[in-house]
Amino acid sequence: MVSRVSPRLPSKSNPDDAFAALVALAGRAGVGITRVVHRTDKAIVATGTRAGRPVVAKLLISDDPYWVSRRAHELDVYARFASDPPPVRVPELLWADDRLTVLTNVPGRRLHDERHLTRDISHAKVQLVLDTLEALTQWAPDPALPEPIDYHGRIHGEFAAQLLDDAERATLHTLVDRIGPDRVTAHGDALPANLLIDEDRCALVDWEHSGRYLPGHDLALLYTVGAAASPTLATAITDRVAAGGITTEYTMNLVLLVCREIRIHDSLPLGAAPAHRMSTLRDLHIRLRQQLRPASR
C-alpha cells in the first residue's frame, strides 16, 4: 500500500466534478474506474481494476470531522486484518491516501440493496449470515478495538429525544451497570447492504463502525431493519439470543437501535420511506418499552 496526500477536492455539490476527482485520484493509485455503485454526500464508491485485479475505490468527499475520523478508524481496522486476520471474509486494503481507499473487490451479492429488508430471507442465507456475525464476536485482536458506544450517553440521548421516559431511562442505566464491562467484537453496521453472499460464504464490508459492543449488537441491528419483512430472520435471531444467554444485552442494544432508527426516519423528507415503516418501528418500540420493567428485575 502506498500512502500520499490527495489534492484538494472540488465542491461535493457538483457530482460531475466529484466523479472526475475520483477518476483522477484512482488513476494515481493505478486503478481504472469502471462504474459508480454508490454515491452519498459522504463518499463515492466505484468498482474498477488494478493490475488486472477487481477492486473497489472509495473516495471520501465530506470534510465532516466525524466521517474523517470514522474513515481513519476503518483504515486502522484493515491494518489489523493484515496482521491478525479475523475469522470472517473481509476486503484487503491495497492503497490509501487521505481521501481515497482502494480495496479488493470481495465476491458476493448484497443480502439486500436497501437499508430495510422488503422480503423474507431463506433459512440457509439467514443461518449463513448469523454464523458469520457470531464468528466475528470471537475475534479479539490485541490491542483491543475501541468501544464506539457510550451506552449511558446513548440512553441520555434517547431520553432527551423523548423516546424513553424517566422509568425506562433508569432501568436501562441499571442494566448497563449490571451487565458490566463485557464487550465483544462487532461489525457495528450489519445492514443488509454490508453483507455479501457468495454461495456458502458471507463477507462483511464497510468497517467504519466496528469495535467492541455489548453482545448482540449486530443481531439487534439486523432485527431492527429486517424482522418485519423476514419472519425467518426474526425467529432465527430470537433463537440465537436465547441460546447464547444474551437476552439482556441484546435487548439493551435493540432498544437503543430502534430509538435511533425512529429518529433517522423522523428526519427523512416526506415520502422518502414507505409509510408503513414508521408505524412498524413505533410498534416495535412500544413492545420493547413494555419489556423493560421485567428485564430490570
Side-chain angles (χ1 to χ4, degrees), residues 124-146:
K125 283 187 180 179
V126 166
Q127 294 304 317
L128 176 59
V129 166
L130 299 190
D131 285 346
T132 301
L133 296 177
E134 186 173 329
L136 179 60
T137 66
Q138 304 305 306
W139 187 48
D142 185 19
L145 293 175

Side-chain angles (χ1 to χ4, degrees), residues 18-292:
F19 176 71
L22 169 63
V23 171
L25 293 174
R28 293 174 57 194
V31 175
I33 297 298
T34 55
R35 70 184 183 96
V36 172
V37 296
H38 189 59
R39 186 198 299 261
T40 67
D41 59 358
K42 177 190 74 173
I44 303 175
V45 181
T47 56
T49 58
R50 184 175 191 254
R53 185 181 190 183
V55 298
V56 171
K58 299 171 63 176
L59 179 66
L60 179 69
I61 59 176
S62 173
D63 293 318
D64 186 323
Y66 175 79
W67 291 117
V68 172
S69 68
R70 287 296 86 206
R71 178 178 182 267
H73 168 70
E74 185 175 30
L75 292 179
D76 177 67
V77 173
Y78 286 130
R80 303 282 195 101
F81 291 163
S83 60
D84 188 359
V88 297
R89 199 174 197 182
V90 299
E92 175 189 348
L93 178 64
L94 300 176
W95 197 94
D97 62 17
D98 63 335
R99 289 282 183 176
L100 182 70
T101 305
V102 179
L103 305 161
T104 54
N105 192 342
V106 180
R109 297 186 63 180
R110 292 173 167 180
L111 184 66
H112 195 60
D113 288 333
E114 299 178 26
R115 181 178 180 87
H116 284 248
L117 293 181
T118 57
R119 63 178 185 273
D120 201 9
I121 304 298
S122 72
H123 176 79
K125 283 187 180 179
V126 166
Q127 294 304 317
L128 176 59
V129 166
L130 299 190
D131 285 346
T132 301
L133 296 177
E134 186 173 329
L136 179 60
T137 66
Q138 304 305 306
W139 187 48
D142 185 19
L145 293 175
E147 297 182 18
I149 291 183
D150 169 7
Y151 280 90
H152 285 298
R154 282 286 297 276
I155 293 165
H156 280 301
E158 302 306 349
F159 171 77
Q162 300 184 331
L163 291 169
L164 298 171
D165 63 23
D166 279 319
E168 294 155 355
R169 175 180 61 169
T171 295
L172 290 172
H173 281 308
T174 299
L175 290 177
V176 172
D177 291 336
R178 184 179 298 173
I179 293 167
D182 182 31
R183 302 289 186 270
V184 297
T185 302
H187 179 273
D189 198 25
L191 297 170
N194 292 332
L195 304 166
L196 304 185
I197 308 299
D198 181 33
E199 297 183 353
D200 62 347
R201 301 189 69 180
C202 175
L204 299 174
V205 298
D206 288 348
W207 289 81
E208 59 198 14
H209 298 290
S210 58
R212 297 173 65 244
Y213 293 80
L214 284 177
H217 179 276
D218 286 345
L219 298 182
L221 178 55
L222 202 51
Y223 190 98
T224 299
V225 301
S230 178
T232 302
L233 176 67
T235 299
I237 289 176
T238 301
D239 289 346
R240 292 269 179 144
V241 169
I246 57 169
T247 299
T248 300
E249 295 89 338
Y250 168 80
T251 301
M252 169 69 67
N253 284 309
L254 188 58
V255 169
L256 296 177
L257 287 167
V258 169
C259 287
R260 185 187 72 173
E261 201 68 17
I262 288 172
R263 287 190 288 102
I264 289 173
H265 280 72
D266 271 340
S267 69
L268 294 176
L270 188 64
H276 66 83
R277 185 169 297 158
M278 182 60 91
S279 64
T280 299
L281 288 169
R282 293 284 187 189
D283 288 345
L284 177 56
H285 183 235
I286 290 171
R287 294 200 304 273
L288 289 169
R289 295 175 76 176
Q290 291 171 344
Q291 292 176 23
L292 287 180

